[in-house]
Amino acid sequence: MGVTIKDIAKRAGVSVTTVSRALNGYKDIRPETRERILRIAEELNYRPNAVARSLVMKKSQTIGLIISELTRSRTGHDLTFNIICGVNDRATEAGYDLVLSTTDPSRQEQVPYMELCRRRQLDGVILMGMRTDDPYLKEVVESSVPCVLIDVPLVGDKCGHVTLDNERGARMAVEHLIAEGHREIGMINGHAQAFVSLERLNGYRNALKEAGIEYRPEKVYFGDFEEASGREGIRHLLSRFPEMTAVFCASDTMAIGAIRELKDLGRRVPEDISVMGFDDIELASFVTPALSTVSQPVYEFGRKAVDLLIRMFDGEIGTAEVLEPKLEIRESTAPPAL
Amino acid sequence: MGVTIKDIAKRAGVSVTTVSRALNGYKDIRPETRERILRIAEELNYRPNAVARSLVMKKSQTIGLIISELTRSRTGHDLTFNIICGVNDRATEAGYDLVLSTTDPSRQEQVPYMELCRRRQLDGVILMGMRTDDPYLKEVVESSVPCVLIDVPLVGDKCGHVTLDNERGARMAVEHLIAEGHREIGMINGHAQAFVSLERLNGYRNALKEAGIEYRPEKVYFGDFEEASGREGIRHLLSRFPEMTAVFCASDTMAIGAIRELKDLGRRVPEDISVMGFDDIELASFVTPALSTVSQPVYEFGRKAVDLLIRMFDGEIGTAEVLEPKLEIRESTAPPAL
DNA sequence: TTGTAGGCGTTATCAA
DNA sequence: TTGATAACGCCTACAA
């Protein structure tokens, strides 16, 4: 079907070796023959067969993007999508193809991600959406194929990660609330199986501490990043701490849930209570009131992940890429009423 | 590095042929040897090398998902993402890997998508985001690799598509407006290079016609699906037809733009003017007022696309899969004021 | 500067 | 029921 170097060789009256050399830009070849071969390749509209090449080179020029529970959670959509874009753009620029794959906790047991790597001879892998209790995690670190984790702070010889300075982001958010005069600040956190939850909690605590405000664990509700848990969280917190004037949420989705619940409860945002989100998803600026939040450069996450991976291909060891958050103050936060 | 059938053969004291047969479930093999081989494969943690297999089988068990301008337009994100999910889920179920690829109009010239197909020996391709004037279109139809187009109504021997009944969707939307009592209805359409724009325009015209309302081309503004053009569109229309009491937009994003512009103009939605969207993106139910719109089963688009592709692998010819829209009435539409 | 030969891991065609 | 042997398309010593 397709044109092969054999066809070119025949037509050019040389051996396949020579064709291969010419095509791959080797210099031990007479300029004339080289020209001729290139011309013929052009004429025949030759395209190298990446599959055959991969087989012999043991490199596929392909990186895998493995996403845990792609479809499942509604929350991550915006984030996930932008990371995909970043990964895709950078990979394309660098001449790599991208294979997309997903795992469910259930499916993971049976078909570990390493299988994909070996099966397709992936040069490297980017993983996102993994929980701290994910059975894959150890497999990843021990693995011999270079991998980059998103939001999982592991570093190894051939394993790096890119993440946000989540502690700092959370701290900035709470500091802002404090600067506006709040002192009774609750937190609706993500689930404890996400690294970012822990880090954001630290940021919350540190901000309180610096301001001389006592940290009380009961003021932190653990949700699951989704809207419903934002609603539950705010009700839970409010029933116990009616004096609360502000709440910091570990995701915009939960913040939106909280705002909606507050509306149902007849409380005004931000007049009665300020709500701060995290992520800066597209929705954040469209809801009413527009959400104050912490913005993460997610598209950049994707690009950096590919960069890091490629550097590991070139022999570097894994590193941690920590990107900076940015505070995005909109309408859902304000000084507390007197 | 990896375990190959050769290793298994050696260990089992048989030839690679036998191993291959055993592994692939051929039946002309003695049960004992078969068991033994399987056991050894298990012990050695053997994984077939898909690359080698692809080379000889001339099939890669891989389908390509090619998206035009993935990053570029903000509009399609939600739609695009859900289609990706659908494609991914169905492909995984069916045992296909997915390679993601994007094209820019600029890049398209140099690296036609066919190259990817040949390079990676893709079994088939799903294309989305293509415009009617896309130079690729003819390449696609002429191509020998099976392909499925999203929202481009082409059918061929090895080419099918999945789309929405856009005419019907638009008609339903406008009929609803008419049923509520509107007679002065404008339209903010997408750009003319999208097939869906044409079909939605037809739906708008047909609904008017059936209701005995004169169709006037000047009442249709051609935008580009993005928010800004929704703002422009509504201003343009309103300046010419101040009597307008409702507007039908060919995308939610434009509808949201229109609503925002109306707010800036001091007009209330839906009291002063009703706004109907199209797509039912996530945002639609979160904005204020919540958007009345036409919902498309995008996730299903993705799944159907893969289904269709696989059927073509099995010898069927390309067909058209037309899915049904659903009206989603929320708060942005209401009967006109007297 | 060029060609020969071998191999990458699999499957497939024939014999045996 | 099994095993040589030859592909698949490409790359790379090694030889010429």
Side-chain angles (χ1 to χ4, degrees), chain B residues 224-248:
Chain B
D224 62 1
F225 294 112
E226 307 285 341
E227 189 189 343
S229 77
R231 301 186 90 119
E232 282 165 36
I234 194 69
R235 252 190 297 122
H236 176 96
L237 254 28
L238 229 35
S239 69
R240 257 145 266 232
F241 307 100
E243 70 276 21
M244 186 169 67
T245 63
V247 62
F248 165 55

PDB file of all heavy atoms in Angstrom, chain B residues 224-248:
ATOM      1  N   ASP B 224     -19.392  34.441  15.431  1.00  0.00           N
ATOM      2  CA  ASP B 224     -18.397  33.382  15.288  1.00  0.00           C
ATOM      3  C   ASP B 224     -18.450  32.391  16.457  1.00  0.00           C
ATOM      4  O   ASP B 224     -17.462  31.753  16.789  1.00  0.00           O
ATOM      5  CB  ASP B 224     -17.000  33.984  15.176  1.00  0.00           C
ATOM      6  CG  ASP B 224     -16.628  34.754  16.433  1.00  0.00           C
ATOM      7  OD1 ASP B 224     -17.443  34.801  17.382  1.00  0.00           O
ATOM      8  OD2 ASP B 224     -15.513  35.310  16.489  1.00  0.00           O
ATOM      9  N   PHE B 225     -19.592  32.318  17.110  1.00  0.00           N
ATOM     10  CA  PHE B 225     -19.815  31.421  18.245  1.00  0.00           C
ATOM     11  C   PHE B 225     -19.244  31.932  19.565  1.00  0.00           C
ATOM     12  O   PHE B 225     -19.578  31.423  20.618  1.00  0.00           O
ATOM     13  CB  PHE B 225     -19.244  30.015  17.983  1.00  0.00           C
ATOM     14  CG  PHE B 225     -19.929  29.273  16.877  1.00  0.00           C
ATOM     15  CD1 PHE B 225     -19.261  29.004  15.690  1.00  0.00           C
ATOM     16  CD2 PHE B 225     -21.244  28.850  17.016  1.00  0.00           C
ATOM     17  CE1 PHE B 225     -19.893  28.316  14.660  1.00  0.00           C
ATOM     18  CE2 PHE B 225     -21.879  28.156  16.004  1.00  0.00           C
ATOM     19  CZ  PHE B 225     -21.207  27.886  14.811  1.00  0.00           C
ATOM     20  N   GLU B 226     -18.355  32.916  19.506  1.00  0.00           N
ATOM     21  CA  GLU B 226     -17.700  33.379  20.724  1.00  0.00           C
ATOM     22  C   GLU B 226     -18.505  34.474  21.425  1.00  0.00           C
ATOM     23  O   GLU B 226     -19.369  35.114  20.820  1.00  0.00           O
ATOM     24  CB  GLU B 226     -16.310  33.930  20.397  1.00  0.00           C
ATOM     25  CG  GLU B 226     -15.428  32.976  19.594  1.00  0.00           C
ATOM     26  CD  GLU B 226     -14.873  31.835  20.441  1.00  0.00           C
ATOM     27  OE1 GLU B 226     -14.867  31.963  21.688  1.00  0.00           O
ATOM     28  OE2 GLU B 226     -14.441  30.830  19.850  1.00  0.00           O
ATOM     29  N   GLU B 227     -18.160  34.686  22.676  1.00  0.00           N
ATOM     30  CA  GLU B 227     -18.923  35.628  23.483  1.00  0.00           C
ATOM     31  C   GLU B 227     -18.974  37.033  22.887  1.00  0.00           C
ATOM     32  O   GLU B 227     -20.037  37.651  22.814  1.00  0.00           O
ATOM     33  CB  GLU B 227     -18.338  35.702  24.898  1.00  0.00           C
ATOM     34  CG  GLU B 227     -19.223  36.497  25.837  1.00  0.00           C
ATOM     35  CD  GLU B 227     -18.556  36.755  27.173  1.00  0.00           C
ATOM     36  OE1 GLU B 227     -17.576  36.070  27.492  1.00  0.00           O
ATOM     37  OE2 GLU B 227     -19.026  37.661  27.889  1.00  0.00           O
ATOM     38  N   ALA B 228     -17.837  37.502  22.466  1.00  0.00           N
ATOM     39  CA  ALA B 228     -17.775  38.875  21.948  1.00  0.00           C
ATOM     40  C   ALA B 228     -18.756  39.081  20.806  1.00  0.00           C
ATOM     41  O   ALA B 228     -19.396  40.135  20.710  1.00  0.00           O
ATOM     42  CB  ALA B 228     -16.351  39.185  21.496  1.00  0.00           C
ATOM     43  N   SER B 229     -18.864  38.086  19.964  1.00  0.00           N
ATOM     44  CA  SER B 229     -19.762  38.269  18.826  1.00  0.00           C
ATOM     45  C   SER B 229     -21.221  38.212  19.255  1.00  0.00           C
ATOM     46  O   SER B 229     -22.099  38.692  18.548  1.00  0.00           O
ATOM     47  CB  SER B 229     -19.467  37.233  17.737  1.00  0.00           C
ATOM     48  OG  SER B 229     -19.983  35.975  18.073  1.00  0.00           O
ATOM     49  N   GLY B 230     -21.474  37.629  20.413  1.00  0.00           N
ATOM     50  CA  GLY B 230     -22.825  37.661  20.952  1.00  0.00           C
ATOM     51  C   GLY B 230     -23.169  39.088  21.372  1.00  0.00           C
ATOM     52  O   GLY B 230     -24.277  39.576  21.155  1.00  0.00           O
ATOM     53  N   ARG B 231     -22.196  39.737  21.969  1.00  0.00           N
ATOM     54  CA  ARG B 231     -22.396  41.135  22.398  1.00  0.00           C
ATOM     55  C   ARG B 231     -22.618  42.015  21.175  1.00  0.00           C
ATOM     56  O   ARG B 231     -23.568  42.793  21.130  1.00  0.00           O
ATOM     57  CB  ARG B 231     -21.172  41.623  23.172  1.00  0.00           C
ATOM     58  CG  ARG B 231     -20.863  40.793  24.435  1.00  0.00           C
ATOM     59  CD  ARG B 231     -19.725  41.413  25.245  1.00  0.00           C
ATOM     60  NE  ARG B 231     -20.258  42.356  26.214  1.00  0.00           N
ATOM     61  CZ  ARG B 231     -20.120  42.243  27.537  1.00  0.00           C
ATOM     62  NH1 ARG B 231     -19.434  41.228  28.045  1.00  0.00           N
ATOM     63  NH2 ARG B 231     -20.647  43.133  28.347  1.00  0.00           N
ATOM     64  N   GLU B 232     -21.754  41.864  20.220  1.00  0.00           N
ATOM     65  CA  GLU B 232     -21.895  42.664  19.000  1.00  0.00           C
ATOM     66  C   GLU B 232     -23.226  42.392  18.325  1.00  0.00           C
ATOM     67  O   GLU B 232     -23.916  43.297  17.881  1.00  0.00           O
ATOM     68  CB  GLU B 232     -20.782  42.327  18.003  1.00  0.00           C
ATOM     69  CG  GLU B 232     -19.453  42.963  18.320  1.00  0.00           C
ATOM     70  CD  GLU B 232     -18.353  42.308  17.516  1.00  0.00           C
ATOM     71  OE1 GLU B 232     -18.624  41.949  16.351  1.00  0.00           O
ATOM     72  OE2 GLU B 232     -17.242  42.124  18.059  1.00  0.00           O
ATOM     73  N   GLY B 233     -23.523  41.109  18.250  1.00  0.00           N
ATOM     74  CA  GLY B 233     -24.734  40.707  17.551  1.00  0.00           C
ATOM     75  C   GLY B 233     -25.975  41.352  18.131  1.00  0.00           C
ATOM     76  O   GLY B 233     -26.823  41.896  17.406  1.00  0.00           O
ATOM     77  N   ILE B 234     -26.077  41.329  19.433  1.00  0.00           N
ATOM     78  CA  ILE B 234     -27.296  41.850  20.042  1.00  0.00           C
ATOM     79  C   ILE B 234     -27.393  43.367  19.836  1.00  0.00           C
ATOM     80  O   ILE B 234     -28.472  43.922  19.613  1.00  0.00           O
ATOM     81  CB  ILE B 234     -27.377  41.502  21.550  1.00  0.00           C
ATOM     82  CG1 ILE B 234     -28.789  41.737  22.079  1.00  0.00           C
ATOM     83  CG2 ILE B 234     -26.387  42.291  22.367  1.00  0.00           C
ATOM     84  CD1 ILE B 234     -29.800  40.758  21.543  1.00  0.00           C
ATOM     85  N   ARG B 235     -26.231  44.018  19.891  1.00  0.00           N
ATOM     86  CA  ARG B 235     -26.257  45.472  19.681  1.00  0.00           C
ATOM     87  C   ARG B 235     -26.654  45.801  18.247  1.00  0.00           C
ATOM     88  O   ARG B 235     -27.479  46.669  17.995  1.00  0.00           O
ATOM     89  CB  ARG B 235     -24.892  46.075  20.012  1.00  0.00           C
ATOM     90  CG  ARG B 235     -24.950  46.872  21.310  1.00  0.00           C
ATOM     91  CD  ARG B 235     -23.722  47.684  21.557  1.00  0.00           C
ATOM     92  NE  ARG B 235     -22.555  46.827  21.697  1.00  0.00           N
ATOM     93  CZ  ARG B 235     -21.494  46.926  20.925  1.00  0.00           C
ATOM     94  NH1 ARG B 235     -21.447  47.822  19.956  1.00  0.00           N
ATOM     95  NH2 ARG B 235     -20.479  46.111  21.118  1.00  0.00           N
ATOM     96  N   HIS B 236     -26.036  45.066  17.347  1.00  0.00           N
ATOM     97  CA  HIS B 236     -26.337  45.251  15.936  1.00  0.00           C
ATOM     98  C   HIS B 236     -27.831  45.075  15.675  1.00  0.00           C
ATOM     99  O   HIS B 236     -28.484  45.933  15.080  1.00  0.00           O
ATOM    100  CB  HIS B 236     -25.536  44.223  15.131  1.00  0.00           C
ATOM    101  CG  HIS B 236     -25.819  44.244  13.671  1.00  0.00           C
ATOM    102  ND1 HIS B 236     -25.034  44.932  12.778  1.00  0.00           N
ATOM    103  CD2 HIS B 236     -26.793  43.662  12.934  1.00  0.00           C
ATOM    104  CE1 HIS B 236     -25.520  44.784  11.570  1.00  0.00           C
ATOM    105  NE2 HIS B 236     -26.586  44.009  11.631  1.00  0.00           N
ATOM    106  N   LEU B 237     -28.355  43.989  16.141  1.00  0.00           N
ATOM    107  CA  LEU B 237     -29.759  43.658  15.906  1.00  0.00           C
ATOM    108  C   LEU B 237     -30.701  44.686  16.538  1.00  0.00           C
ATOM    109  O   LEU B 237     -31.656  45.158  15.914  1.00  0.00           O
ATOM    110  CB  LEU B 237     -30.039  42.271  16.480  1.00  0.00           C
ATOM    111  CG  LEU B 237     -30.220  41.088  15.512  1.00  0.00           C
ATOM    112  CD1 LEU B 237     -29.459  41.265  14.217  1.00  0.00           C
ATOM    113  CD2 LEU B 237     -29.795  39.785  16.199  1.00  0.00           C
ATOM    114  N   LEU B 238     -30.376  45.020  17.783  1.00  0.00           N
ATOM    115  CA  LEU B 238     -31.258  45.912  18.531  1.00  0.00           C
ATOM    116  C   LEU B 238     -31.295  47.311  17.925  1.00  0.00           C
ATOM    117  O   LEU B 238     -32.332  47.987  17.929  1.00  0.00           O
ATOM    118  CB  LEU B 238     -30.777  45.979  19.985  1.00  0.00           C
ATOM    119  CG  LEU B 238     -31.827  45.771  21.069  1.00  0.00           C
ATOM    120  CD1 LEU B 238     -32.867  44.761  20.645  1.00  0.00           C
ATOM    121  CD2 LEU B 238     -31.138  45.341  22.351  1.00  0.00           C
ATOM    122  N   SER B 239     -30.173  47.737  17.411  1.00  0.00           N
ATOM    123  CA  SER B 239     -30.130  49.074  16.824  1.00  0.00           C
ATOM    124  C   SER B 239     -31.011  49.136  15.581  1.00  0.00           C
ATOM    125  O   SER B 239     -31.566  50.168  15.241  1.00  0.00           O
ATOM    126  CB  SER B 239     -28.688  49.444  16.478  1.00  0.00           C
ATOM    127  OG  SER B 239     -28.223  48.648  15.409  1.00  0.00           O
ATOM    128  N   ARG B 240     -31.121  48.021  14.896  1.00  0.00           N
ATOM    129  CA  ARG B 240     -31.924  47.991  13.680  1.00  0.00           C
ATOM    130  C   ARG B 240     -33.380  47.584  13.924  1.00  0.00           C
ATOM    131  O   ARG B 240     -34.266  47.988  13.211  1.00  0.00           O
ATOM    132  CB  ARG B 240     -31.300  47.002  12.689  1.00  0.00           C
ATOM    133  CG  ARG B 240     -30.542  47.737  11.603  1.00  0.00           C
ATOM    134  CD  ARG B 240     -29.342  46.933  11.205  1.00  0.00           C
ATOM    135  NE  ARG B 240     -28.197  47.396  11.976  1.00  0.00           N
ATOM    136  CZ  ARG B 240     -27.045  47.743  11.443  1.00  0.00           C
ATOM    137  NH1 ARG B 240     -26.861  47.639  10.152  1.00  0.00           N
ATOM    138  NH2 ARG B 240     -26.063  48.192  12.193  1.00  0.00           N
ATOM    139  N   PHE B 241     -33.545  46.731  14.971  1.00  0.00           N
ATOM    140  CA  PHE B 241     -34.898  46.233  15.236  1.00  0.00           C
ATOM    141  C   PHE B 241     -35.247  46.373  16.701  1.00  0.00           C
ATOM    142  O   PHE B 241     -35.296  45.387  17.435  1.00  0.00           O
ATOM    143  CB  PHE B 241     -35.009  44.770  14.806  1.00  0.00           C
ATOM    144  CG  PHE B 241     -34.573  44.554  13.391  1.00  0.00           C
ATOM    145  CD1 PHE B 241     -33.316  44.057  13.107  1.00  0.00           C
ATOM    146  CD2 PHE B 241     -35.421  44.895  12.338  1.00  0.00           C
ATOM    147  CE1 PHE B 241     -32.905  43.889  11.797  1.00  0.00           C
ATOM    148  CE2 PHE B 241     -35.005  44.724  11.027  1.00  0.00           C
ATOM    149  CZ  PHE B 241     -33.748  44.221  10.746  1.00  0.00           C
ATOM    150  N   PRO B 242     -35.463  47.573  17.108  1.00  0.00           N
ATOM    151  CA  PRO B 242     -35.744  47.810  18.533  1.00  0.00           C
ATOM    152  C   PRO B 242     -37.011  47.094  18.993  1.00  0.00           C
ATOM    153  O   PRO B 242     -37.196  46.903  20.186  1.00  0.00           O
ATOM    154  CB  PRO B 242     -35.898  49.338  18.617  1.00  0.00           C
ATOM    155  CG  PRO B 242     -36.111  49.802  17.218  1.00  0.00           C
ATOM    156  CD  PRO B 242     -35.476  48.810  16.316  1.00  0.00           C
ATOM    157  N   GLU B 243     -37.828  46.676  18.056  1.00  0.00           N
ATOM    158  CA  GLU B 243     -39.066  45.997  18.426  1.00  0.00           C
ATOM    159  C   GLU B 243     -38.837  44.534  18.781  1.00  0.00           C
ATOM    160  O   GLU B 243     -39.750  43.836  19.231  1.00  0.00           O
ATOM    161  CB  GLU B 243     -40.087  46.103  17.278  1.00  0.00           C
ATOM    162  CG  GLU B 243     -39.753  45.295  16.025  1.00  0.00           C
ATOM    163  CD  GLU B 243     -38.798  46.009  15.071  1.00  0.00           C
ATOM    164  OE1 GLU B 243     -38.088  46.932  15.529  1.00  0.00           O
ATOM    165  OE2 GLU B 243     -38.747  45.641  13.883  1.00  0.00           O
ATOM    166  N   MET B 244     -37.618  44.062  18.597  1.00  0.00           N
ATOM    167  CA  MET B 244     -37.298  42.656  18.865  1.00  0.00           C
ATOM    168  C   MET B 244     -37.552  42.286  20.331  1.00  0.00           C
ATOM    169  O   MET B 244     -37.139  42.988  21.243  1.00  0.00           O
ATOM    170  CB  MET B 244     -35.830  42.421  18.521  1.00  0.00           C
ATOM    171  CG  MET B 244     -35.372  40.996  18.597  1.00  0.00           C
ATOM    172  SD  MET B 244     -33.726  40.831  17.846  1.00  0.00           S
ATOM    173  CE  MET B 244     -32.746  41.769  19.002  1.00  0.00           C
ATOM    174  N   THR B 245     -38.229  41.177  20.554  1.00  0.00           N
ATOM    175  CA  THR B 245     -38.505  40.756  21.941  1.00  0.00           C
ATOM    176  C   THR B 245     -37.810  39.460  22.301  1.00  0.00           C
ATOM    177  O   THR B 245     -37.857  39.021  23.441  1.00  0.00           O
ATOM    178  CB  THR B 245     -40.016  40.542  22.164  1.00  0.00           C
ATOM    179  OG1 THR B 245     -40.466  39.476  21.313  1.00  0.00           O
ATOM    180  CG2 THR B 245     -40.793  41.807  21.878  1.00  0.00           C
ATOM    181  N   ALA B 246     -37.200  38.832  21.316  1.00  0.00           N
ATOM    182  CA  ALA B 246     -36.485  37.586  21.612  1.00  0.00           C
ATOM    183  C   ALA B 246     -35.376  37.366  20.590  1.00  0.00           C
ATOM    184  O   ALA B 246     -35.473  37.810  19.443  1.00  0.00           O
ATOM    185  CB  ALA B 246     -37.443  36.401  21.576  1.00  0.00           C
ATOM    186  N   VAL B 247     -34.326  36.698  21.059  1.00  0.00           N
ATOM    187  CA  VAL B 247     -33.237  36.388  20.134  1.00  0.00           C
ATOM    188  C   VAL B 247     -32.791  34.951  20.340  1.00  0.00           C
ATOM    189  O   VAL B 247     -32.662  34.474  21.468  1.00  0.00           O
ATOM    190  CB  VAL B 247     -32.072  37.382  20.310  1.00  0.00           C
ATOM    191  CG1 VAL B 247     -31.485  37.291  21.711  1.00  0.00           C
ATOM    192  CG2 VAL B 247     -30.972  37.122  19.274  1.00  0.00           C
ATOM    193  N   PHE B 248     -32.586  34.292  19.223  1.00  0.00           N
ATOM    194  CA  PHE B 248     -32.118  32.905  19.261  1.00  0.00           C
ATOM    195  C   PHE B 248     -30.647  32.894  18.860  1.00  0.00           C
ATOM    196  O   PHE B 248     -30.270  33.377  17.801  1.00  0.00           O
ATOM    197  CB  PHE B 248     -32.942  32.066  18.283  1.00  0.00           C
ATOM    198  CG  PHE B 248     -32.332  30.722  17.983  1.00  0.00           C
ATOM    199  CD1 PHE B 248     -32.012  29.835  19.001  1.00  0.00           C
ATOM    200  CD2 PHE B 248     -32.080  30.345  16.664  1.00  0.00           C
ATOM    201  CE1 PHE B 248     -31.439  28.594  18.722  1.00  0.00           C
ATOM    202  CE2 PHE B 248     -31.521  29.102  16.372  1.00  0.00           C
ATOM    203  CZ  PHE B 248     -31.193  28.234  17.404  1.00  0.00           C
TER     204      PHE B 248
END
